[in-house]
Amino acid sequence: MIELYHCPDARSFRCLWALEALGLDYTLHRMSFPPRIHSLDFLALNPAGTVPLLTDGPEVWIIESAAALQYIATKNGPSALSIEPGQPGYAAWLNWLHFGEATLTTALSSVLRYAVFEPEEKRLPAVAGWYSELFLDRLQLVDRALDGQAFLSGARFTVADISVGYALQLARFVGLDKKFPARVAEYWARLQALDSYRAARAAQKPPAA
Ligand SMILES: N[C@@H](CCC(=O)N[C@@H](CS)C(=O)NCC(=O)O)C(=O)O
């Protein structure tokens, strides 16, 4: 069975969203952020101290959220969230899946670091501003791709949308959602209205005591 190590609103949210969308069984291990400070035992499982960590029996150990999305979407063969090799749109799907993390979220991580996480005296507004611009420039590609289609792979919602959608969620933390291009803003509203998104948001909350 899949086990997911998760901190609220961290990249592990992508996995939670995909698991909820496919209705797969999983065990969720909730931790406070950052686990390298609040969950020292976790370092034995993932020495990098980062989330997600997804395991599925002794052979499966994944700490990259895009890889985890691909694993979840394809582990039981083709699914509603995957596009298979040989199908139309496969290469673009794979590209968006990684674009969400490697191109969008890494730029946002630098904004978060230099505008929010660092102590006041170490913050670098100019660097945060530069990465904000970079993020918004890169978002133009998403805006263009959504011309005439609801999701990145056309009419069908896939893990590529979860990968990019998570970056849009993160952008909200630093107020960049106010600068989303029109089609991206509509897309973000569309993603938030999905049952799977709502289910994932509910699932990450600790059960009431
Ligand atoms: N490229 C990795 C990045 C993983 C990562 O940096 N996760 C962050 C949370 S969003 C983390 O765990 N940070 C904790 C730390 O750096 O101590 C992925 O896509 O999963």
Side-chain angles (χ1 to χ4, degrees):
M1 168 153 21
I2 288 180
E3 301 205 25
L4 176 63
Y5 294 80
H6 169 67
C7 296
D9 295 326
R11 286 164 169 95
S12 43
F13 182 79
R14 286 185 172 123
C15 308
L16 200 50
W17 190 353
L19 289 164
E20 288 292 331
L22 288 176
L24 297 181
D25 284 339
Y26 65 93
T27 301
L28 185 63
H29 301 274
R30 296 183 186 82
M31 299 180 292
S32 298
F33 187 85
R36 72 187 141 78
I37 291 177
H38 299 294
S39 305
L40 293 179
D41 292 353
F42 178 64
L43 294 175
L45 299 175
N46 175 14
T50 53
V51 288
L53 165 62
L54 183 145
T55 61
D56 191 9
E59 302 293 324
V60 177
W61 184 86
I62 302 177
I63 62 166
E64 285 294 336
S65 57
L69 284 179
Q70 190 170 357
Y71 178 79
I72 292 166
T74 58
K75 101 174 197 110
N76 295 323
S79 76
L81 296 186
S82 68
I83 295 182
E84 299 306 304
Q87 286 185 334
Y90 170 68
W93 173 76
L94 212 46
N95 194 57
W96 285 122
L97 176 59
H98 291 275
F99 181 91
E101 170 59 20
T103 299
L104 290 181
T105 307
T106 50
L108 277 176
S109 296
S110 296
V111 179
L112 272 167
R113 176 168 180 195
Y114 291 111
V116 179
F117 289 149
E118 285 291 337
E120 198 92 43
E121 68 280 5
K122 287 193 176 167
R123 289 187 192 162
L124 298 171
V127 175
W130 189 84
Y131 278 107
S132 299
E133 291 306 319
L134 190 70
F135 171 77
L136 292 170
D137 282 352
R138 292 172 170 184
L139 214 47
Q140 293 298 332
L141 273 79
V142 178
D143 194 58
R144 256 183 266 155
L146 291 169
D147 191 5
Q149 57 185 50
F151 299 107
L152 291 168
S153 293
R156 192 154 69 83
F157 168 74
T158 72
V159 283
D161 298 294
I162 292 181
S163 180
V164 170
Y166 172 74
L168 301 181
Q169 175 175 280
L170 196 61
R172 217 166 40 166
F173 279 100
V174 285
L176 287 174
D177 55 327
K178 295 181 191 71
K179 297 188 177 173
F180 285 171
R183 279 184 294 249
V184 173
E186 288 163 21
Y187 171 63
W188 174 225
R190 199 175 301 130
L191 292 177
Q192 288 175 94
L194 293 174
D195 287 346
S196 58
Y197 179 80
R198 290 164 190 252
R201 296 226 46 96
Q204 73 167 354
K205 290 206 182 106

